[in-house]
Amino acid sequence: ALLEAAQALGTFVALRQSEMSPAVVRYLANVILYIDADIKDLDDELLKSLSIVEIPDGDDVMEAQGRVKEKNQKTIIVIRMELNSTSAERAVKLTRDGAEVLHLVADEYGLEKGEHSLFIKERMREIHGRLVEEGLRDEVTLIASGGIAMAEHVAKIIICGADALGVDIPLLVAMEC
């Protein structure tokens, strides 16, 4: 249902690599493939046909970005980062290293990981501000997700610095989950 809706609306669905099946192939133009296994296990032809790929942040994230770019230079690489107290510094480093898009993820309540968790809007403002201070803000796209449940949350998170957002809770409500 989500794939068909994304196709009809011209939007995207984030789909895990482990959830890929032959039935998904006809929706690839609307799929953001999240690499949740070894990138080497991914079919080269599949990588060549995807316009957006999301990879998890880690020590070798820029190497992984390079491997995907080798297969298809036009593929947009999204680096998925869990929000925490060091996210602003990490965002600056990744942007300097050549990150194109950062997906900043809070939990379903909009909180980051850590003992003294901040709400997503506070951390987004900090990250946006640090990138502006460093003269890097125009170099990277910021996507925010987690805890975004109501229409006013969309406007608030964009005001705090997000260029786009991932929506999940309203979809679950709409499907009566």
Side-chain angles (χ1 to χ4, degrees), residues 67-106:
R67 282 194 292 268
V68 174
K69 287 289 190 181
E70 284 175 11
K71 306 297 181 199
N72 184 351
Q73 199 58 267
K74 294 180 182 179
T75 302
I76 297 168
I77 308 298
V78 179
I79 299 173
R80 183 184 183 99
M81 294 175 49
E82 299 267 339
L83 282 177
N84 60 47
S85 61
T86 63
S87 293
E89 292 307 315
R90 182 68 177 156
V92 167
K93 181 181 181 340
L94 288 171
T95 303
R96 281 198 176 117
D97 290 346
E100 302 171 310
V101 182
L102 300 177
H103 181 181
L104 307 158
V105 182

Side-chain angles (χ1 to χ4, degrees), residues 16-18 33-48 50 52-57 60-72 75-79:
R16 293 180 176 276
Q17 177 183 355
S18 58
L33 185 65
Y34 177 64
I35 309 291
D36 63 352
D38 193 340
I39 200 165
K40 295 172 189 167
D41 294 340
L42 205 53
D43 179 48
D44 286 353
E45 290 305 312
L46 177 62
L47 270 179
K48 289 176 186 175
L50 291 165
I52 305 176
V53 171
E54 186 171 35
I55 55 179
D57 188 20
D60 62 346
V61 70
M62 297 315 290
E63 292 172 31
Q65 177 174 301
R67 282 194 292 268
V68 174
K69 287 289 190 181
E70 284 175 11
K71 306 297 181 199
N72 184 351
T75 302
I76 297 168
I77 308 298
V78 179
I79 299 173

Side-chain angles (χ1 to χ4, degrees), residues 148-170:
I148 299 167
M150 297 186 296
E152 63 256 27
H153 294 165
V154 174
K156 286 178 184 175
I157 202 68
I158 289 173
I159 289 169
C160 292
D163 296 303
L165 60 139
V167 178
D168 49 12
I169 295 172

